[in-house]
Amino acid sequence: MTGHFVTLEGGEGAGKSTQARKLGEWLREQGEEVVETREPGGTPGADAIRALILDPDTPLSALSEAYLFAAARADHVENVIAPAIGDGKWVVCDRFIDSSLTYQGAAGGLGVERVRAINADAIGDHMPDLTILLATDVDTGTRRAAQRDGEQDDRFSVRDAQFHEKVAQAFAELAETEPDRFAVIDASQPIDDVAERIRATVRERLL
Ligand code: TYD
């Protein structure tokens, strides 16, 4: 019995965590067992690495950043994602390898293929079955992210609009090159409409 691995990706303020939660709830209503998780993080070790990578006061090169994300991801895959999929569960993950390919690879300047290589051993054969790309324009995303209560600025949210434009462009290019894995959904629509489009995509592709 193998489960399903769904990731949600997109820039800041695209609504990934809200949509991940809604998708998880809906899958449970369908009688599925679901593990909801997020990156960076998802295990105690990966959460410790998260605190380090997101701290804007710790200078890190783009390359060390990429390795730290990959290290956190290796722990997460080994201890949470792979076992859940092996047990036939659904894994719904808020960000995964495509965030590294876009943030560190494209916008960070390392190049997508270099970052893919760094991540290859960390994820093994655990590429997502489906990746929902929540597409928003950078202005809307930044505004929404700024409105969230109690959120600290992190290393990435403080970067400029040009960085976030590169991230958005790179996500769009990845989606174009892997249309079987990606589904692009317009995240500027009302939350419930976006949630319905996500459910329709999951029904069509995986159920
Ligand atoms: P988080 O607070 O989880 O942001 P969001 O709500 O936007 O998902 O912080 C995660 C930040 O880390 C976000 O700016 C994206 C960045 N990131 C990378 O640069 N590379 C990665 O591989 C991952 C998983 C996240």
Side-chain angles (χ1 to χ4, degrees):
M1 187 161 76
T2 30
H4 300 276
F5 183 20
V6 181
T7 58
L8 287 99
E9 295 278 7
E12 320 286 306
K16 292 178 301 300
S17 41
T18 304
Q19 294 299 341
R21 204 163 49 239
K22 284 182 161 290
L23 176 60
E25 268 167 27
W26 176 75
L27 284 167
R28 282 189 198 95
E29 283 164 21
Q30 312 307 302
E32 305 291 346
E33 275 194 87
V34 184
V35 172
E36 277 169 54
T37 187
R38 64 136 188 215
E39 287 205 345
T43 64
D47 279 329
I49 298 172
R50 173 191 172 90
L52 171 65
I53 7 188
L54 294 187
D55 174 9
D57 297 326
T58 307
L60 286 170
S61 73
L63 187 59
S64 64
E65 218 177 70
Y67 274 106
L68 286 172
F69 277 113
R73 184 161 297 129
D75 199 58
H76 190 208
V77 168
E78 192 175 330
N79 292 301
V80 174
I81 296 173
I85 294 172
D87 285 348
K89 296 177 185 164
W90 286 71
V91 174
V92 176
C93 188
D94 181 351
R95 293 195 187 277
F96 193 63
I97 185 173
D98 300 296
S99 283
S100 284
L101 301 180
T102 54
Y103 281 75
Q104 283 67 53
L110 295 175
V112 168
E113 292 317 315
R114 191 168 177 200
V115 175
R116 204 190 290 283
I118 289 170
N119 277 272
D121 196 35
I123 69 171
D125 58 2
H126 292 97
M127 272 305 271
D129 303 306
L130 171 65
T131 297
I132 307 278
L133 173 57
L134 293 177
T136 47
D137 64 87
V138 170
D139 284 351
T140 311
T142 312
R143 200 165 355 95
R144 278 197 204 156
Q147 282 164 354
R148 285 193 292 231
D149 289 337
E151 199 158 291
Q152 303 278 315
D153 278 347
D154 65 42
R155 180 186 303 282
F156 301 99
S157 62
V158 299
R159 297 223 170 137
D160 61 11
Q162 204 189 351
F163 181 91
H164 293 290
E165 287 293 354
K166 282 189 191 158
V167 168
Q169 176 66 30
F171 272 129
E173 284 169 12
L174 287 174
E176 264 174 40
T177 49
E178 284 186 79
D180 291 344
R181 174 164 71 90
F182 274 91
V184 183
I185 292 181
D186 176 4
S188 64
Q189 301 302 308
I191 288 176
D192 288 335
D193 295 357
V194 175
E196 179 46 39
R197 298 259 340 257
I198 293 173
R199 292 194 289 268
T201 304
V202 169
R203 243 186 255 116
E204 218 171 82
R205 300 215 194 173
L206 297 179
L207 279 177

